[in-house]
Amino acid sequence: MQRLIVFACFLSLTLISCDPDNDHPKLSYEEVAILPTPAQMQPQDASFIWEAELNYFVDSYAEDLTDFIDAYFGMNPSFNVSRATDSNKAQLKIISDNTLEAEHYRLDISSDQISIFAKDASGAFYGLQSLRQLLPTELERAEELAFEKFELPGLSITDGPQFEHRGMHLDVSRHFFGVDAVKRYLDVMALMKMNSFHWHLTDDQGWRIEIKKYPKLTNHGAYRPETLIGHYNDSPQKFDGQRYGGYYSQEEIKEVVAYAQSLNIRVIPEIEMPGHATAAISAYPDLGCTGDSIAVATKWGVFDDIFCPKPETFDFLFNVLDEVIALFPGEYIHIGGDEAPKTRWKACPHCQQLIKDENLKDEHELQSFFIGEIAGYLNGKGKKLLGWDEILEGGLDPTATVMSWRGVEGGIQAAKSGNNVIMSPTSHAYFDYYQDDSADQPLAIGGFLPLEKVYSFDPIPEALNNKQAALVLGAQGNVWTEYMQTEEKLQYMAYPRTMAMAEVVWSGAKEEPEVSYPDFLKRLKPLLKRLDAMGRNYYNPLEKITAEISKEDKLRISLSGPLPEQQIQYRWSSEQAWIDYSEPIMVERSAMLEARFADQTDPNAVNFTQDFTLHKGINAKIKLNKKPHPAYNSGGIAALNNGVYGSSTRHGDKEWLGFWGDDLRVDIRFETPVKLNKLKLGFYHAPGQWIYAPTKSQISATLADGRSYNTTAIIAKDSLSNVANEVFGMPEEMVTRIRIDIPNYGIIPDGKQGAGNKAWTFLDEIVMD
C-alpha cells in the first residue's frame, strides 16, 4: 500500500511526497516509466538523492551537451547545476565508452552518482532524455519548487535504437508555424529520442523558405489571397476572404537547423517538384508549361500546373537547391515527387518532343527523367535524393531513397530494387487523420488512425528478406496541416501518436502489440503529465472507452478502458440509471449505448456512445471475393452486419472496409429463409481522398422456392455527409441467398485528386430489413 501511495504522489503535478517520514518526492524502481521503452533495465540496491546543488562532468566527446544540460536545469530557479572539471567531484557524469554501439547508452544510478556511458554524443544525449523522464515534471518549467531534493531509484539501463531514421514531419505550407512553434515541436521529438525532422517547406498553398536569387517566391508565393474553411468535401466550399501566409528568412532557417542540431536532430528540407508547385509557378509563370499567370492555391488538393521540364526550369531548380544545400548540412534533400498530374505535360509540345528525344515511353518516364536530373545534380553536390513513392514510376534512380506513403507496397518495390526506404504509410503514419471516432473531435481531413494502431506498426514488411529488410532505414509520422490552423491543434493531433511512433522506431515492432499496449499506456500516463508541465496540448487516450462486438445468436458488447483498473458504467439511450459494467452486454433492440468511467464526478459525463441497429441480416453468413486492404480491415468481414454504421466523416474506423481498385462480389447466405422488403448498402464517398462510391450495383437473390430475383440500384448521395447509399427493393418473399456485385469506380480521371491512380471503395453495414 505504501508503494501505491508514493506512486499516486509521483503522478501528481506537484510531486510533493506523501510519506510523512520524508520531506521530498521519491520515485521507486517499480514506478519508472520511460518512453520509448528501454531495451534492458535492472534495479540496483541504493537510491540517489538529488540535492539542490549538483555538479556534472562531461567528457570531451560530448562537449556540446553542456549547453543542453545548462539550459534544461538552468530553467528552474530552485536547482543549481554547475560543471565540474574533475569527474571524481561530479554527481552526474557523462563518460566515453567505445564498447557501446553508435547512438547506444548505458545509464547507471547508484547511491552517490548518476553515470551515462556512450560511444558518441548522440548516445549520451539519449541517456540524458531517459534520465529526464525520471526527474520531477516541475523541472520542465521555470517555477519555484515546493521541495529541496528528490530521490531516484538505483538502476542500470542499457539501451539503443532499432532503426536509423526516427522521424517526424511537419507541413508548414498549408498552415504556417513560426520559429518558436517549430522549436517546441523539436523539443518533444528530442524527448522521444527522434532524430529526423522532415520540414515540408513548399507546396501549392505557400512557399515558405527565402531564396535570395528569386525574391518573388516569398514576396508573392508565400501568400495566398484566402483560405478554404470547413472541409474540402463541403458543398459548396467556403473561403475566409483573408490574405494568409508567411515564410522563414535564411537566418531563421539557420536558427532552426542549429537548434535541431543541439537536440541531436537532423533537418530534412522538402522542396516539392515537379508537382505541388502552384505557389512557385504563381510567382514565376514561365516555370509552368503554359506560361499563364495563376494564383497561389486557396484550397487543398492536387493541381494540374506543375514544373515544366525545360532548361529554364532546371536552371531555376538547381539555383534554388544551391541555396537550400547551403542551409541544411544533412545528407538528404527531399524533392517530393508525389501527386504530379500529367495533364499539362500531355498537352505541352516541349514535353512531347522531350519524350521523343530521350526515347521515353510516356509521361511517367518523363517524370523519372525529371527526377533523374535532380538526383544527378544533388549527387554532384554530395547530397542524397529522398522522395515520395511516386518517384518509382517510370524507373528509379539507384541513388534515391524512397519514402513510402501510399502503403508499404512502394517501399517493398524499392527495397527489392536495392534502394533505401523510409516507411510512412497513410495506414499508420498520417497524424492528420482522426484519432478518436467520437463526434466531438475537431475537424480533420478524414480517415481514422487511433493510437493503438500507430503502436502496432511494423516498418519491416513480411515480403522482404533479411537483405532487403536492412534497406528499411526506419519510419516517420506525418503531420499535414490543412485542418490545423493553430499550434494548439497541431499538438493535439501530433501527441501522443508521436510517442507511439517513437516506440516503434526506437524499441522496434512488437510481436504481440495487443498484449504490450496496456504497458505502453501505463508508461504514457506520467509522460502526459510531463507534457502538461511543458505547456503542450495533447489528446488523452486514457479517457477513451472502447467496445468490441461479438456475434453468436445475438450481438454482445464488451467494454474496456485503456487501463485495467478503470471501472466502467453503462446505460441504454439515457433511459435508466448507470449500471456497473461487469460482463458483455446483450443488444436486445435498436438503441444507443452510453458508457463512462465510474469515478467521474460530472453527472452528465459520457465517454462513449454507440448506436446499434438490429436488422434481419445480423446472423447472415457473408463472404467476399476480395480481401479488404490490410490498412482498412480492422473490423474484419463481421463489420458488414454487426448493427453498427461507420462514421460519416472518417473512413478508417472499424466499420469501414477499404478495397483499392477491386470489383467486389458479396455473397450473403441465410441459414433460415427470411422475408425482406429492402436491402441498403453504405459507401464512403470522398473524391478528394481518392474514395469513390460505385455508380450502381446489382443484386441477384435466390428465393426459397428456387426462383431468382435480380435488380439494380442507383447511388443516392447524401449532400450533408460523405456517405452514399444504395437501396434495393426486395420482393417481400422468403430469401435464402443474395449475391451483390459492386463495380469499382476505376482509374481516377485527369483533373481529380489522385488522377491516374486506382480509386478506393469503402463499404459499410449491409442493412437487411
Side-chain angles (χ1 to χ4, degrees), residues 570-579 589 591-595 603-606 608-611:
Y570 73 94
R571 65 184 180 185
W572 284 104
S573 302
S574 304
E575 296 176 357
Q576 56 184 220
W578 291 101
I579 303 169
R589 59 190 173 90
M592 181 177 70
L593 179 68
E594 296 180 336
N604 298 314
V606 176
F608 169 89
T609 60
Q610 182 65 70
D611 285 305

Side-chain angles (χ1 to χ4, degrees), residues 312-341:
E312 303 93 313
T313 303
F314 285 118
D315 287 343
F316 166 83
L317 291 172
F318 294 158
N319 289 331
V320 167
L321 290 173
D322 283 344
E323 294 195 33
V324 170
I325 288 168
L327 294 169
F328 295 92
E331 62 180 336
Y332 286 114
I333 302 293
H334 201 302
I335 56 83
D338 63 310
E339 297 181 324

Side-chain angles (χ1 to χ4, degrees), residues 152-166:
L152 299 179
L155 55 76
S156 179
I157 293 174
T158 302
D159 196 15
Q162 294 295 308
F163 289 98
E164 171 187 334
H165 182 101
R166 307 181 300 280

Side-chain angles (χ1 to χ4, degrees), residues 292-422:
D292 294 338
S293 295
I294 58 175
V296 178
T298 59
K299 60 182 180 180
W300 329 125
V302 179
F303 301 88
D304 285 340
D305 287 290
I306 66 176
F307 286 128
C308 188
K310 52 190 177 183
E312 303 93 313
T313 303
F314 285 118
D315 287 343
F316 166 83
L317 291 172
F318 294 158
N319 289 331
V320 167
L321 290 173
D322 283 344
E323 294 195 33
V324 170
I325 288 168
L327 294 169
F328 295 92
E331 62 180 336
Y332 286 114
I333 302 293
H334 201 302
I335 56 83
D338 63 310
E339 297 181 324
K342 308 305 187 289
T343 305
R344 296 286 186 256
W345 285 4
K346 290 177 181 178
C348 172
H350 168 79
C351 294
Q352 293 305 307
Q353 186 61 47
L354 186 58
I355 289 174
K356 293 179 182 178
D357 293 344
E358 296 293 333
N359 294 316
L360 306 176
K361 183 167 59 176
D362 54 20
E363 288 77 18
H364 291 294
E365 288 197 0
L366 180 57
Q367 174 159 327
S368 180
F369 169 82
F370 187 110
I371 300 300
E373 292 292 294
I374 300 299
Y377 189 79
L378 290 175
N379 293 161
K381 297 287 184 175
K383 298 291 184 178
K384 296 179 181 178
L385 181 146
L386 178 59
W388 302 109
D389 56 65
E390 284 94 333
I391 67 174
L392 287 160
E393 297 169 1
L396 181 61
D397 185 280
T399 67
T401 296
V402 172
M403 188 169 280
S404 192
W405 76 277
R406 291 179 296 178
V408 299
E409 293 80 7
I412 292 171
Q413 181 184 343
K416 288 185 175 181
S417 298
N419 291 79
N420 285 333
V421 174
I422 295 167

Side-chain angles (χ1 to χ4, degrees), residues 405-409 425-428 453 624 626-636 656-662 664 758 760-762:
W405 76 277
R406 291 179 296 178
V408 299
E409 293 80 7
T426 58
S427 58
H428 292 81
K453 189 170 184 180
L624 296 169
K626 300 286 185 180
K627 291 183 179 180
H629 191 279
Y632 300 103
N633 188 31
S634 59
W656 289 106
L657 300 186
F659 305 85
W660 196 12
D662 295 320
L664 302 180
K758 298 178 294 184
W760 284 86
T761 301
F762 275 82

Side-chain angles (χ1 to χ4, degrees), residues 262-278:
S262 74
L263 300 176
N264 204 58
I265 295 171
R266 61 181 179 181
V267 182
I268 301 173
E270 182 176 358
I271 308 297
E272 275 272 11
M273 60 184 84
H276 287 295
T278 303

